[in-house]
Amino acid sequence: MAVLALHKVNGFEAGAEFPPESKAFLAKHAHLFPATGEKVKEAQQFVDQNVQPKHMNKNISKYHASMIQDKGTVMSIEEEEIPEMGTVSVLHVVNDEEDSYQIVYLGALDIYGDDTVEFVGVPTLLSGFDNVSGGYTNSIIIAGSYVGKKRALS
């Protein structure tokens, strides 16, 4: 529900369908949304390490029933209370290659703009939005399983 709402906020027509394969994956693995503690390792077992943004941008439907993992900088984060779901966090994350993700995560996060995060989730829709300074950003909407601050190596 939140993924479709975000897609509409991005300027796309209402009526986009949540991918049935993603819906089935989320239902089967509902205990991993969100994944905390030991469940993070379980979620990472479902990650297809070969999937990169270029693959999803070409044909996201091939990846609706799998998990991806990436890291990047939080450009923005918002929390919203949705009566049927509780707190939902929406993050805009850009990786080192300038690929853009919008992550919909069930729950509140101790994460803020400019934090570096790593995340695991299910690709759902290709979307995008107009930039404030002009231009357009293509974005991959992810149903987030795990989002955490990326720790600097010591």
Side-chain angles (χ1 to χ4, degrees), residues 18-143:
F18 193 86
E21 302 87 354
S22 295
K23 190 177 204 175
F25 186 93
L26 293 169
K28 184 175 181 181
H29 304 287
H31 67 288
L32 297 176
F33 293 87
T36 57
E38 289 301 311
K39 290 182 184 176
V40 174
K41 289 179 183 169
E42 184 181 348
Q44 288 174 319
Q45 292 175 2
F46 291 101
V47 171
D48 184 339
Q49 299 292 342
N50 297 313
V51 179
Q52 299 173 23
K54 67 181 180 181
H55 300 112
M56 292 178 282
N57 284 324
K58 182 178 179 185
N59 184 357
I60 197 168
S61 65
K62 290 182 178 182
Y63 310 105
H64 285 154
S66 60
M67 296 257 242
I68 61 115
Q69 181 172 343
D70 206 344
K71 62 182 182 291
T73 302
V74 176
M75 308 309 288
S76 66
I77 181 169
E78 298 175 23
E79 290 179 358
E80 186 172 338
E81 291 295 323
I82 298 177
E84 302 84 13
M85 302 172 73
T87 302
V88 174
S89 297
V90 178
L91 301 89
H92 177 209
V93 175
V94 176
N95 70 9
D96 290 341
E97 291 78 37
E98 300 296 318
D99 299 304
S100 176
Y101 297 97
Q102 289 176 291
I103 303 162
V104 178
Y105 180 87
L106 187 57
L109 293 162
D110 186 23
I111 290 172
Y112 302 90
D114 293 328
D115 283 349
T116 300
V117 296
E118 53 191 352
F119 63 90
V120 173
V122 176
T124 60
L125 296 170
L126 293 177
S127 195
F129 49 88
D130 291 321
N131 298 321
V132 175
S133 57
Y136 188 80
T137 296
N138 291 315
S139 188
I140 301 166
I141 300 181
I142 303 291

